[in-house]
Amino acid sequence: MARRGPYKVLAGLRGPQILEIGAPEWERLRTYIQLDLAGLLIAVVWLIVLRATVLDDDWFVAIIVLLLVMAVFLVRAIQLIHQYRRFAAVVVFALSNWIVAVAVTATTPFALSTLTLAVLLPVLVALQHMNRARLLAMLGATMLVGTALVVVGRVSGGVGLEGKVDPAVMHGLAIAFIPFLTVLVSLAAWQNHVVLVARTEALQESRARLVATADRERCRIERNLHDGAQRRLAAAAEQSREARRLLAGDPGRAGPLLSRLSDDLQEASTELRNLAHGIYPPQLGQYGLETALRAVAQHAPIPTTVRAVGVGRYPPEIEINIYFCLLEALRNTIRHGGEEATVAITLQDRNGLSFDFRDTGKGCDPAVIRTGHGMITMNDRLGAIGGTLTVATAPGDGVRLHGHLAGSVLKSAGVERSGWELSGVVRSVLGGLWAVVARTYIAAQRSVEPHPHRFIAAGLWGVLGVVLGAGAIALVVFARTRNPWLLALAGLCCVMAAMAVVTLRVVRRGRVKRAIGLSAAITWCYAFALTSMIPSAQPYAALVMVSPVLLSVAYLPRRRFKIIMVCTIATAFAIALPERFLPGIGFEGVAPGWVVDATVIGLVVMGLTRASYLAWQNHMMLVARAEALQESRGRLVAAADRERRQIERNLHDGAQQRLVAAAVQSRVAQRLVATQPGQVGPLLEQLDDDLRDAAADLRDLAHGIYPPQLAESGLEAALRAAARHSPLPTEVNAAGIGRYPPEIEINIYFCLLEALQNAGKHAGEHATVTIDLRGGNGLSFDFHDTGNGSHPDLIRTGHGITNMYDRLGAIGGTLTIDTSPGAGLHLHGDIPARPVAGM
């Protein structure tokens, strides 16, 4: 029975567990929005109680309605997450915070000090869910909304609620909600910190899995060739020789033997064709993704439908990866979904290319599917081309997979996206606004790179100037009023100035972690002192207070980051008090109102831009740390798929064609045995030659895919075999080398094979090659050739060297290059591996 009414709403808020394999940002985003929604509902209940017991004012009703509208926005954001529309969910979340913050501040300017952090929240949440262009637009919008908020808060007179409500109630609201929003900001920063670490680790593991998967695929193809077509060819060659012997002595028995030979060759040809199609389906290259998937659906053992909306042709690396992802999903359903399961596949090109795979099978526990080999492989494939894969499942509820490649990914891959879009114009305008702000901060810290040294130094010089000026003002006012609180503030300013000088010395010595801790303490003291002296500057102090936790995201380990979070929340309680209970230095009473308003507006805008710039720097770090691994992962997948296409082409153009010709010759020979036996002998000789050539093709192809010596005898034997076939004199020194894990041996083998092939192409005819392998706690190699050499910058960008970097990096190894024109090439690889036990 379907759920109705509020039960359906509650179930929709909870929703199925959404898994993004290797990076659970969907669940974190949903949890975060749910926490924001819970806090909002608590605020609504509190205001309802206040209206019922303290103040019967219709403006309270208006504010409650505004907060309920925000709650509707948040519910919609959660629903969008369930629809796998993460970007849209973040936008709705941002709009809900911004609209309500400005509207509430317009009616109750008192709320300005509380809601400045609410404007900053969306951009912190967006860091891990948006690409560069969209985040630039979000930052620009944050600047506009923050400026509008502080202008409205200082210029608007409100509706007079502050004068009607008991001051204790207003103080309680501020003291409660400033720390609450600080907790949300800290949690957003914590999530960014966790993702920064987890994403790099996940990409590293994914790269290693991709290499291992490609090597397992190599081994499987080699084994299929050896156990299938190669054995059939050997049996066919024996049958051909037997037919030739029977032709001389007993021609009557040669006919049936040739018939069996023809059938065996036909089966071998079919087997090779199926193997080639499984390696790389011809429909995919000829007709595209939709046609290839429909062909798979027609041959699937369970009912499978394919629907495509607006899908055209895409670059090969995109089509092949989506194809094999969906093929893997179909195989999983066939194995585990149950006999009654059905599958529906939907492809759609709208704001990017996406697919939905749904089955009506048994489903499973989400924790099981998260660790499944098939799901991880699918995620690796999509991630390597810039896509994401999410999974929703539960026992008895089937499995839903959603894959998405954003429009920016398609555009970077060369897919033309035509048409004028208003959203694109808006993003450009907002992004341009933020670019102006970013250039100002880049000029201040004199560095484009997201590194903390110069940014901390620039901030400390600013704080030093402000606290010295504030201390001087506090002393002047103290001389007139003899207020001891001002003398204490002046002393605090002097302490902060001394700490700033000490921290600047720490920064110059490059001690980033210690400098961040000291600058955080200074920042918190500065925020407290500023609020104590000028209570109306509390909105700016709240933004300053959260800067340390934003700065710490990319540079502090987990334990120290938690300390910064706790201290930030404690400071939030501290700065919520001075505005309520301390008179300050009287700046608001002495200076004209417009000066106070302009000062507060300028400070808040400055604080908001600084916090947003820190968020932008964190995004840059998220991108910078993952970019190299992401590119490496993409190259590995592309290389594996190029190899698939090459193997399929070699099978089709080589052994498969020879087998077809041999099958035709055997059928012709069978017909000629009875009528023209004299012509059968030459025909069988040609058949023997074709079978011999086909067997040689398959043997060479299998050896190139995965050398049998490597699995049987180890790295040294495989390299010596490769050296014997090298066009250059090659010496292999590997005394005392034992056996290592397969993933170590195969990667070093193909790295050195790549180097050997490069030497054969570029080193020159008179070059020689020496390969040295050394074991111990790890495994290292040195590759020397006496060839032409090259400029180091040229060789580092070469395709072969890049493949070697990727392979060794995937197993935790390093590669160094030493070369110059005319001085040959020296490669040194080092892998921190240990020999296999017992070998």
Side-chain angles (χ1 to χ4, degrees):
M1 181 179 178
R3 294 180 176 179
R4 299 177 181 272
Y7 296 102
K8 184 176 181 180
V9 173
L10 292 175
L13 292 179
R14 181 175 60 84
Q17 184 173 0
I18 301 173
L19 306 177
E20 186 169 1
I21 309 296
E25 285 93 345
W26 291 84
E27 280 295 323
R28 289 174 180 154
L29 176 60
R30 180 168 64 176
T31 301
Y32 191 87
I33 296 177
Q34 287 170 339
L35 179 62
D36 195 18
L37 178 61
L40 182 66
L41 294 178
I42 292 173
V44 169
V45 172
W46 192 353
L47 291 175
I48 291 174
V49 172
L50 286 177
R51 185 182 185 279
T53 59
V54 178
L55 182 64
D56 185 7
D57 193 299
D58 291 339
W59 281 106
F60 256 23
V61 177
I63 294 174
I64 291 171
V65 170
L66 277 174
L67 296 180
L68 290 176
V69 169
M70 180 178 177
V72 172
F73 272 84
L74 295 179
V75 171
R76 178 56 182 160
I78 294 172
Q79 292 174 343
L80 289 170
I81 293 174
H82 296 162
Q83 298 169 11
Y84 304 98
R85 298 172 63 187
R86 180 166 49 177
F87 167 68
V90 173
V91 171
V92 170
F93 171 71
L95 289 175
S96 69
N97 278 269
W98 292 340
I99 292 173
V100 173
V102 174
V104 171
T105 303
T107 57
T108 314
F110 168 83
L112 174 64
S113 59
T114 306
L115 295 178
T116 48
L117 292 178
V119 174
L120 183 63
L121 268 178
V123 77
L124 300 181
V125 175
L127 288 186
Q128 51 188 292
H129 303 288
M130 288 188 173
N131 59 27
R132 177 187 173 90
R134 287 173 170 173
L135 186 62
L136 284 171
M138 176 72 79
L139 287 162
T142 300
M143 294 298 95
L144 290 178
V145 174
T147 303
L149 179 78
V150 67
V151 170
V152 167
R154 296 304 304 183
V155 174
S156 171
V159 296
L161 282 179
E162 294 92 334
K164 300 176 182 179
V165 180
D166 189 332
V169 174
M170 305 301 286
H171 296 338
L173 285 170
I175 294 172
F177 277 94
I178 289 178
F180 173 72
L181 287 172
T182 303
V183 168
L184 290 181
V185 169
S186 299
L187 285 177
W190 169 252
Q191 289 188 3
N192 292 329
H193 172 76
V194 170
V195 169
L196 184 66
V197 176
R199 188 170 291 177
T200 302
E201 292 176 349
L203 282 170
Q204 177 68 44
E205 293 170 359
S206 173
R207 188 171 69 163
R209 287 194 303 267
L210 286 170
V211 170
T213 299
D215 292 333
R216 283 196 301 270
E217 180 74 1
R218 282 171 165 270
C219 188
R220 183 188 68 82
I221 295 172
E222 189 274 336
R223 190 165 55 247
N224 287 344
L225 288 174
H226 180 270
D227 297 342
Q230 282 183 286
R231 290 189 176 181
R232 288 184 182 275
L233 279 175
E238 181 60 33
Q239 287 176 320
S240 177
R241 289 191 291 271
E242 179 65 19
R244 292 177 64 185
R245 289 194 296 269
L246 290 175
L247 189 63
D250 191 359
R253 294 176 56 191
L257 184 60
L258 288 173
S259 177
R260 289 198 303 274
L261 174 60
S262 177
D263 293 339
D264 288 346
L265 289 174
Q266 188 64 42
E267 289 179 8
S269 177
T270 302
E271 185 175 323
L272 272 186
R273 183 173 62 252
N274 292 337
L275 177 62
H277 286 194
I279 294 171
Y280 194 96
Q283 300 97 331
L284 189 64
Q286 295 172 6
Y287 306 111
L289 184 59
E290 180 183 354
T291 302
L293 288 173
R294 292 191 186 281
V296 170
Q298 289 174 357
H299 296 90
I302 59 176
T304 303
T305 60
V306 176
R307 177 173 171 264
V309 180
V311 175
R313 294 304 306 269
Y314 302 91
E317 64 272 15
I318 290 178
E319 292 187 336
I320 188 65
N321 281 291
I322 292 180
Y323 173 84
F324 278 110
C325 279
L326 291 170
L327 187 62
E328 181 73 35
L330 185 59
R331 289 170 178 166
N332 285 344
T333 301
I334 294 169
R335 286 195 295 264
H336 309 296
E339 297 179 356
E340 304 299 325
T342 61
V343 170
I345 299 173
T346 303
L347 295 170
Q348 188 170 2
D349 190 340
R350 187 184 66 181
N351 299 323
L353 178 62
S354 62
F355 67 79
D356 278 284
F357 178 98
R358 298 172 183 261
D359 72 46
T360 59
K362 298 177 180 179
C364 68
D365 188 288
V368 174
I369 204 168
R370 187 194 294 271
T371 58
H373 176 73
M375 289 297 171
I376 292 175
T377 301
M378 293 162 63
N379 179 72
D380 290 341
R381 273 193 166 275
L382 277 185
I385 56 174
T388 59
L389 176 69
T390 53
V391 188
T393 184
D397 197 28
V399 175
R400 178 185 176 185
L401 306 178
H402 177 79
H404 182 72
L405 274 77
S408 57
V409 174
L410 297 179
K411 186 176 180 180
S412 64
V415 179
E416 296 294 333
R417 317 298 289 180
S418 60
W420 180 85
E421 295 182 1
L422 178 61
S423 60
V425 176
V426 173
R427 282 201 300 269
S428 299
V429 172
L430 293 175
L433 173 64
W434 172 252
V436 174
V437 176
R439 280 196 293 269
T440 303
Y441 278 93
I442 289 171
Q445 70 180 33
R446 295 177 297 171
S447 175
V448 180
E449 298 298 324
H451 202 278
H453 290 84
R454 291 183 176 177
F455 190 82
I456 294 174
L460 286 171
W461 280 112
V463 169
L464 184 60
V466 171
V467 297
L468 288 176
I473 293 173
L475 287 175
V476 170
V477 178
F478 169 75
R480 294 182 179 180
T481 63
R482 296 298 175 180
N483 186 341
W485 174 245
L486 294 176
L487 186 61
L489 281 177
L492 179 60
C493 289
C494 291
V495 171
M496 285 190 290
M499 291 177 62
V501 172
V502 171
T503 306
L504 283 169
R505 291 173 63 90
V506 173
V507 171
R508 290 193 188 98
R509 295 174 183 172
R511 299 177 180 177
V512 176
K513 295 177 182 178
R514 182 174 296 181
I516 289 175
L518 289 172
S519 66
I522 296 170
T523 302
W524 295 325
C525 292
Y526 168 66
F528 179 78
L530 181 65
T531 309
S532 301
M533 296 174 66
I534 309 175
S536 59
Q538 190 187 62
Y540 166 67
L543 293 168
V544 170
M545 170 195 67
V546 299
S547 295
V549 78
L550 301 180
L551 179 63
S552 304
V553 166
Y555 304 105
L556 291 188
R558 180 165 297 188
R559 184 177 178 182
R560 293 190 180 185
F561 187 82
K562 288 181 178 179
I563 295 174
I564 295 291
M565 285 179 59
V566 172
C567 293
T568 300
I569 295 169
T571 306
F573 281 100
I575 71 164
L577 299 175
E579 186 183 17
R580 315 290 165 246
F581 306 113
L582 295 178
I585 60 173
F587 174 69
E588 293 89 341
V590 175
W594 68 269
V595 173
V596 176
D597 292 339
T599 301
V600 174
I601 290 171
L603 287 174
V604 170
V605 172
M606 183 176 68
L608 191 61
T609 56
R610 185 172 187 270
S612 298
Y613 185 74
L614 285 172
W616 170 244
Q617 293 283 67
N618 289 335
H619 175 77
M620 295 292 287
M621 289 299 297
L622 278 167
V623 173
R625 289 194 180 182
E627 198 169 58
L629 285 172
Q630 178 69 35
E631 291 174 356
S632 173
R633 191 167 67 160
R635 288 193 300 267
L636 288 168
V637 168
D641 291 332
R642 281 196 303 270
E643 187 175 42
R644 278 176 169 271
R645 289 195 295 272
Q646 185 62 44
I647 293 172
E648 186 272 338
R649 197 157 46 241
N650 289 343
L651 285 173
H652 180 271
D653 297 342
Q656 195 175 344
Q657 297 293 337
R658 295 184 188 278
L659 281 176
V660 170
V664 171
Q665 289 171 338
S666 63
R667 287 193 294 271
V668 172
Q670 178 189 356
R671 290 195 298 268
L672 291 176
V673 166
T675 59
Q676 303 177 32
Q679 297 184 19
V680 175
L683 198 59
L684 290 180
E685 289 180 5
Q686 182 61 44
L687 177 61
D688 285 343
D689 292 339
D690 286 342
L691 291 176
R692 191 180 306 109
D693 291 341
D697 287 344
L698 285 182
R699 184 172 58 253
D700 293 342
L701 180 61
H703 285 194
I705 294 172
Y706 197 101
Q709 300 97 330
L710 189 63
E712 296 169 3
S713 307
L715 186 58
E716 180 182 357
L719 286 173
R720 292 192 185 280
R724 287 194 294 270
H725 295 87
S726 172
L728 301 177
T730 302
E731 179 184 357
V732 177
N733 301 314
I737 293 295
R739 296 303 303 272
Y740 288 80
E743 65 273 15
I744 301 294
E745 292 186 337
I746 188 66
N747 280 290
I748 292 180
Y749 172 82
F750 278 110
C751 279
L752 290 171
L753 188 63
E754 183 83 43
L756 198 57
Q757 291 171 348
N758 285 346
K761 295 175 185 175
H762 308 297
E765 297 179 357
H766 303 292
T768 61
V769 174
T770 303
I771 299 173
D772 295 304
L773 292 172
R774 289 179 299 278
N777 292 330
L779 182 60
S780 63
F781 67 80
D782 284 278
F783 178 96
H784 296 265
D785 73 46
T786 60
N788 299 323
S790 174
H791 192 280
D793 292 339
L794 293 178
I795 198 167
R796 285 193 182 94
T797 58
H799 181 69
I801 295 295
T802 302
N803 285 343
M804 297 168 68
Y805 271 122
D806 291 339
R807 275 195 166 274
L808 290 184
I811 56 176
T814 58
L815 179 69
T816 56
I817 305 170
D818 182 14
T819 186
S820 60
L825 173 67
H826 173 210
L827 302 176
H828 175 75
D830 187 62
I831 297 88
R834 294 183 178 179
V836 177
M839 293 192 178

